[in-house]
């Protein structure tokens, strides 16, 4: 089975702002390709946010001469097509991939994916936390955290470590052993047994609570309500709107 470990770094809360990609391809438990590149986001992705820059150190002027994703895609597509994509927090990285492919009107590759956060939570439940840097340190994996090339490679090694730990031969056996569902790009997401069970439950209907309107007493001016801005008005707030990054 072929595994394509994938990682993106983004310049702001917009999924189209991917500014770096890392890919490590494993075949029969052996690394066969390791690739990393800066990406120049489309202009519509917006300005880089200082919070993201502080995490990965990539500034807008660092990618001025980097290739657009559609220029990079041919060098990635063949390794991803027909493989199992592996990501640490796959909901984020696969969402970035789908958003960019949609933007450039590129077809989705035929592939499935696994999340190493969900895997590690099942395989090593007593770990202090399941962040990539914590797991890498515990398992002796060299990591330059938030460098996409290094993060992708570490996620691939984390999958191999979980296969060895559980005695499973491949991703399908591992998913069956842990009660996970492999996600499909553009289809159903990777999910745990509990998440799958929740999907099958009918939604709960909630009815708004009625509040009686209190009339101000005579001679009392009505209280002025403060103006409330919705979450996400500021760029730093929009960071919380995207899936949590590792």
């Amino acid at each position: 089975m072929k595994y394509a470990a994938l990682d993106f770094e983004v310049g702001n809360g917009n999924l189209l702002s991917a500014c770096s990609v890392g890919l490590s391809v494993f075949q029969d438990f052996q690394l066969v390709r390791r690739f990393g590149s800066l990406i120049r986001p489309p202009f519509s992705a917006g300005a880089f946010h200082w919070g993201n820059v502080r995490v990965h150190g990539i500034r807008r002027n660092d990618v001025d001469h980097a290739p657009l994703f559609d220029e990079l895609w041919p060098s990635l597509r063949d390794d991803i097509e027909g493989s199992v994509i592996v990501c640490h927090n796959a909901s984020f990285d696969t969402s970035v991939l789908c958003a960019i492919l949609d933007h450039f009107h590129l077809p989705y590759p035929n592939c499935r994916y696994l999340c190493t956060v969900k895997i590690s939570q099942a395989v090593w439940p007593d770990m202090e936390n399941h962040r990539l840097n914590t797991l890498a340190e515990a398992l002796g994996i060299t990591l330059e955290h938030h460098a996409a090339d290094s993060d992708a490679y570490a996620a691939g090694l984390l999958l191999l470590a979980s296969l060895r730990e559980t005695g499973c031969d491949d991703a399908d056996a591992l998913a069956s052993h842990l009660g996970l569902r492999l996600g499909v790009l553009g289809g159903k997401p990777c999910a745990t047994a509990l998440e799958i069970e929740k999907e099958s439950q009918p939604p709960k209907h909630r009815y708004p609570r009625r509040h009686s309107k209190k009339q101000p007493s005579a001679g009392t001016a009505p209280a002025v309500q403060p103006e409330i801005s919705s979450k996400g008005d500021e760029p730093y707030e929009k960071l919380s709107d995207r899936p949590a990054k590792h």
Side-chain angles (χ1 to χ4, degrees), residues 124-131 134-135 137-138:
W124 298 285
D126 298 327
M127 195 75 69
E128 175 188 358
N129 61 62
H130 297 88
R131 299 188 184 100
T134 301
L135 291 160
E137 182 177 358

Side-chain angles (χ1 to χ4, degrees), residues 190-230:
C190 175
T192 64
L194 182 59
E195 290 168 337
I196 295 169
E197 181 182 352
K198 287 181 178 179
E199 289 176 354
S200 63
Q201 295 175 352
K204 294 181 179 178
H205 297 285
R206 294 185 178 179
Y207 299 95
R209 182 181 300 174
R210 294 182 178 180
H211 297 276
S212 60
K213 293 183 178 179
K214 186 177 181 180
Q215 299 297 328
S217 58
T220 305
V224 177
Q225 296 296 323
E227 196 172 312
I228 302 173
S229 62
S230 61

Side-chain angles (χ1 to χ4, degrees), residues 2-244:
K2 183 172 70 172
Y3 306 103
L6 184 69
D7 185 83
F8 286 102
E9 299 296 329
V10 292
N12 58 40
N14 189 333
L15 295 174
L16 287 178
S17 69
C19 55
S20 180
V21 61
L23 178 75
S24 285
V25 183
F26 296 83
Q27 183 81 48
D28 298 328
F29 292 83
Q30 297 295 322
L31 178 70
V32 295
R33 186 189 179 206
R34 184 171 174 175
F35 173 83
S37 176
L38 293 175
I39 305 171
R40 175 162 47 97
F43 182 78
S44 61
F48 280 31
H49 185 259
W50 65 266
N52 296 63
V53 173
R54 183 176 62 182
V55 169
H56 52 58
I58 303 171
R59 301 178 182 276
R60 180 74 205 206
N61 59 359
D62 293 328
V63 300
D64 283 345
H65 302 291
L68 290 166
F69 186 80
D70 62 337
E71 300 173 70
L72 282 174
W73 181 236
S75 65
L76 304 173
R77 181 183 55 221
D78 289 345
D79 284 322
I80 292 177
E81 179 71 32
S83 70
V84 173
I85 296 177
V86 182
C87 314
H88 203 71
N89 193 0
S91 63
F92 172 78
D93 294 290
T94 58
S95 294
V96 172
L97 178 59
C98 289
I100 302 175
L101 292 175
D102 288 341
H103 176 81
F104 288 107
H105 306 289
L106 296 168
Y108 290 1
N110 179 25
C111 58
R112 300 175 298 159
Y113 67 87
L114 272 174
C115 177
T116 49
V117 173
K118 297 181 188 298
I119 291 171
S120 61
Q121 288 171 340
V123 176
W124 298 285
D126 298 327
M127 195 75 69
E128 175 188 358
N129 61 62
H130 297 88
R131 299 188 184 100
L132 187 59
N133 57 331
T134 301
L135 291 160
E137 182 177 358
L139 298 173
I141 297 172
T142 301
L143 174 68
E144 184 183 349
H145 200 21
H146 295 300
D149 170 41
S150 182
D151 282 3
Y153 180 59
L157 293 181
L158 188 56
L159 175 68
L160 299 187
S162 66
L163 289 171
R164 288 192 294 268
E165 182 74 15
T166 57
C168 294
D169 295 328
D170 56 31
D172 288 308
L174 179 66
S176 177
H177 178 76
L178 299 178
L180 293 175
R181 178 182 68 203
L182 276 78
V184 177
L185 203 65
K188 288 186 176 182
C190 175
T192 64
L194 182 59
E195 290 168 337
I196 295 169
E197 181 182 352
K198 287 181 178 179
E199 289 176 354
S200 63
Q201 295 175 352
K204 294 181 179 178
H205 297 285
R206 294 185 178 179
Y207 299 95
R209 182 181 300 174
R210 294 182 178 180
H211 297 276
S212 60
K213 293 183 178 179
K214 186 177 181 180
Q215 299 297 328
S217 58
T220 305
V224 177
Q225 296 296 323
E227 196 172 312
I228 302 173
S229 62
S230 61
K231 189 70 176 173
D233 285 350
E234 297 296 329
Y236 72 87
E237 292 175 327
K238 291 180 181 179
L239 291 174
S240 65
D241 293 340
R242 61 180 173 83

